[in-house]
Amino acid sequence: MSGGLLVAGTTSDAGKSVVTAGICRWLVRRGVKVAPFKAQNMSLNSFVTREGAEIGRAQAMQAQAARVEPTALMNPVLLKPGSDRSSQVVLMGRAVGEMSARGYHGGRQEALLSTVVDCLEQLRSTYDAVICEGAGSPAEINLRRTDIVNMGIARAARFPVVVVGDIDRGGVFASFFGTTALLAAEDQALIAGYLVNKFRGDVSLLEPGLDMLRDLTGRPTYGVLPFAHGLGIDEEDGLRVSLRGTVRESAVAPPHGEDVLRVAVCAVPLMSNFTDVDALAAEPGVVVRFVDRAEELSDADLVIVPGTRGTVKALAWLRERGLADALLRRAAEGRPVLGICGGYQILGEHIEDEVESRAGRVDALGLLPVRVRFAREKTLARPAGEALGAPVEGYEIHHGVADVRGGEPFLTDGQGQRLDGCRSGAVWGTHWHGSLESDAFRRRFLTEIARAAGRRFVPAPGTCFAELREEQLDRLGDLVEEHADTDALWRLIESGAPAGLPFIPPGAPAVPAARTVPAAPAAPEPLETAATKEAL
């Protein structure tokens, strides 16, 4: 049986995803065969694996950090919010239906524990170490009985837990102490210690507080990670509510040509896979902003309508805010617009949706000769083709089926036959996420945008997005290696939580113990189990 560790957090956005990735990169660099794991993820940013399964983008990024191919085993349950109260449930990479939060936490979640434990067992039978990421906070005591992603999976696997806290928000000591003190004794026995994230300043000033925290809890702090600017790593969740003026982190380099290129991304509701624009933000001289006002489109050289889990809702939002009219004016003036996935559907003629919004037929913006019908089965694919004479790869995650009735082909098979999307004047649309990560295509596309916008912008010839991503992952590994007690972390991974960790009152009401993980089988079992079939 391999070793492992659970990275929990005092809050959402404490840094669990990047710390997990950093630990994976540190381990693989020292020759450890390691895999990431997150039992249950809630995110609108997802990815398609080679096997055709949909998982969270954060787990795909962590797999890259571990230098392994991502699989559905690494994120068996993915929740994709469709409103404040319901989410699409993706189980083992396949959408199995919509469910309210009350219905999910009312028993369905608990029924999935055996499925996620089976997935973890299979990873442990194959890898030397498995680094698990928790979700939210392990001290959400109202949800502890049905927890399968924090202490539920830690107790099932007997994994030690390191709690990450974001000191940049303030209150990190209270958060560490309170998180521990609100757990039942059985859960506290697995809380091995803490990791401070996003620290600015002189660590020596923090050390007295770390000593007092150890005296109060009997647990050490395993490292203080400094605040790191410009990591540009895939985010798990959507951007925060206030998006006006938010600038996607860009490469710190001057433009290669005489001008910069300004890209405005419409911050539509339920925006999904906004990471599509990361490759643009990595280009020297490209400034990417998320906007929610019509006037913010006026100085943009390119406007992107991104993917969304609520296409009809996003279309109504664009109209309510005047952004739809601004897009129509841009198109009439020959100024560039790009729609990706749901954004592509919004730019078409009409949408027939009896699946996502159940709104029936809805008139879209009419900028592309495309009619969209929502199918119950989701398209999940990893296509490849050509656009603007350059190779392109991407991935598809959508219910909408496009009936293209004109325009120029956008993404082709290299022989001029349309694979996806279309172009009409200065308006482009495609279902392919990730296409802008193809370097040669991105450079040619930006050259065409600059020409249409009248900008003397020239893409830098040597920008390689894959290499930049590797550099960022190495930076995460460096943060862990240089600022964490890696010897102590390795002992945790190899041997588990230390015995005799003190109980911090008041604790929480005891919950039934999760089933423990038996010895790993000699070879991985099939993915499909009875629990998987019956859980939902």
Side-chain angles (χ1 to χ4, degrees):
M1 179 73 75
S2 68
L5 177 72
L6 175 73
V7 178
T10 55
T11 62
S12 295
D13 296 326
K16 298 182 292 291
S17 295
V18 293
V19 168
T20 299
I23 292 174
C24 285
R25 179 51 61 101
W26 158 63
L27 286 172
V28 76
R29 291 196 306 206
R30 62 180 287 175
V32 177
K33 188 179 180 183
V34 58
F37 178 77
K38 185 161 185 172
Q40 172 200 294
N41 197 346
M42 178 174 280
S43 179
L44 288 170
N45 289 330
S46 58
F47 182 75
V48 179
T49 68
R50 294 286 180 194
E51 72 210 60
E54 184 180 7
I55 66 172
R57 271 201 70 98
Q59 280 60 67
M61 175 269 291
Q62 291 161 359
Q64 185 177 351
R67 296 180 179 146
V68 296
E69 190 68 31
T71 73
L73 289 173
M74 297 172 184
N75 180 205
V77 182
L78 172 63
L79 305 179
K80 304 191 73 174
S83 71
D84 291 340
R85 296 189 177 185
S86 68
S87 294
Q88 183 181 67
V89 181
V90 179
L91 181 62
M92 296 305 296
R94 294 288 184 273
V96 295
E98 298 279 335
M99 187 169 290
S100 68
R102 179 177 292 276
Y104 185 68
H105 290 287
R108 295 295 190 184
Q109 184 182 33
E110 193 173 16
L112 291 171
L113 179 61
S114 58
T115 297
V116 301
V117 167
D118 286 344
C119 291
L120 180 56
E121 287 177 23
Q122 291 185 59
L123 291 174
R124 295 182 74 183
S125 72
T126 306
Y127 293 90
D128 301 326
V130 180
I131 307 302
C132 303
E133 178 190 345
S137 164
E140 291 165 351
I141 54 178
N142 56 313
L143 303 177
R144 176 60 185 92
R145 183 182 63 81
T146 58
D147 169 44
I148 64 171
V149 64
N150 289 304
M151 301 314 299
I153 195 68
R155 210 197 292 190
R158 303 305 303 168
F159 273 2
V161 179
V162 172
V163 181
V164 177
D166 179 357
I167 197 170
D168 198 49
R169 295 182 173 194
V172 74
F173 293 118
S175 298
F176 283 146
F177 183 87
T179 296
T180 308
L182 280 177
L183 298 177
E186 296 90 338
D187 290 340
Q188 287 194 26
L190 297 174
I191 302 294
Y194 313 106
L195 193 66
V196 176
N197 191 31
K198 298 183 182 179
F199 180 74
R200 307 172 193 250
D202 185 346
V203 176
S204 66
L205 299 177
L206 189 66
E207 287 172 352
L210 301 179
D211 292 340
M212 287 186 276
L213 180 67
R214 182 163 194 160
D215 291 341
L216 286 167
T217 67
R219 293 161 172 85
T221 297
Y222 286 96
V224 177
L225 306 184
F227 193 102
H229 292 277
L231 283 174
I233 294 298
D234 292 353
E235 297 178 59
E236 178 174 283
D237 301 312
L239 296 177
R240 292 300 158 207
V241 174
S242 179
L243 289 151
R244 190 172 302 116
T246 300
V247 179
R248 199 70 175 147
E249 291 179 331
S250 305
V252 183
H256 189 69
E258 297 181 46
D259 281 347
V260 299
L261 206 63
R262 296 174 176 84
V263 178
V265 184
C266 296
V268 297
L270 299 172
M271 180 166 48
S272 61
N273 285 58
F274 59 80
T275 49
D276 283 332
V277 303
D278 284 352
L280 295 180
E283 284 282 351
V286 176
V287 179
V288 178
R289 293 198 314 149
F290 292 89
V291 303
D292 58 5
R293 287 181 173 179
E295 57 267 29
E296 293 176 299
L297 304 188
S298 60
D299 66 345
D301 302 306
L302 169 66
V303 173
I304 295 178
V305 186
T308 171
R309 250 281 283 160
T311 304
V312 171
K313 182 177 181 179
L315 176 58
W317 181 87
L318 289 168
R319 285 179 167 138
E320 289 166 2
R321 289 179 169 258
L323 287 158
D325 288 338
L327 289 169
L328 293 171
R329 287 193 297 271
R330 285 187 66 90
E333 295 166 359
R335 302 176 67 196
V337 176
L338 171 65
I340 301 175
C341 200
Y344 169 39
Q345 298 164 9
I346 285 169
L347 298 180
E349 295 175 357
H350 68 250
I351 298 166
E352 294 182 21
D353 181 11
E354 299 293 350
V355 176
E356 191 174 78
S357 67
R358 296 184 175 88
R361 176 168 167 154
V362 177
D363 288 337
L365 297 187
L367 296 178
L368 291 173
V370 177
R371 299 176 182 180
V372 175
R373 176 185 55 81
F374 272 59
R376 296 203 174 275
E377 289 297 316
K378 185 185 291 188
T379 296
L380 298 171
R382 290 278 294 270
E386 183 179 289
L388 302 179
V392 183
E393 293 184 359
Y395 57 99
E396 295 184 69
I397 308 171
H398 54 91
H399 285 280
V401 178
D403 177 12
V404 181
R405 300 195 169 199
E408 302 173 36
F410 186 16
L411 299 159
T412 71
D413 61 2
Q415 305 300 317
Q417 297 299 308
R418 189 193 312 271
L419 290 178
D420 180 78
C422 73
R423 174 185 180 179
S424 179
V427 181
W428 290 264
T430 176
H431 272 131
W432 292 15
H433 294 289
S435 60
L436 293 167
E437 296 179 16
S438 299
D439 297 323
F441 163 66
R442 182 180 65 253
R443 285 192 279 269
R444 295 187 186 189
F445 180 69
L446 289 175
T447 298
E448 189 148 345
I449 295 300
R451 186 183 304 116
R455 295 284 186 187
R456 290 174 292 181
F457 169 86
V458 179
T463 303
C464 175
F465 184 74
E467 290 179 2
L468 290 172
R469 176 54 54 88
E470 277 296 304
E471 290 173 8
Q472 302 295 55
L473 293 172
D474 275 332
R475 286 182 64 194
L476 290 180
D478 293 343
L479 286 174
V480 171
E481 193 162 345
E482 295 169 11
H483 300 281
D485 186 345
T486 53
D487 289 339
L489 287 177
W490 178 247
R491 286 194 296 272
L492 287 180
I493 292 168
E494 199 172 36
S495 305
L501 290 169
F503 172 73
I504 309 301
V511 298
R515 78 176 178 91
T516 56
V517 179
E525 297 173 346
L527 287 180
E528 187 175 271
T529 65
T532 304
K533 293 177 182 177
E534 296 172 3
L536 295 174

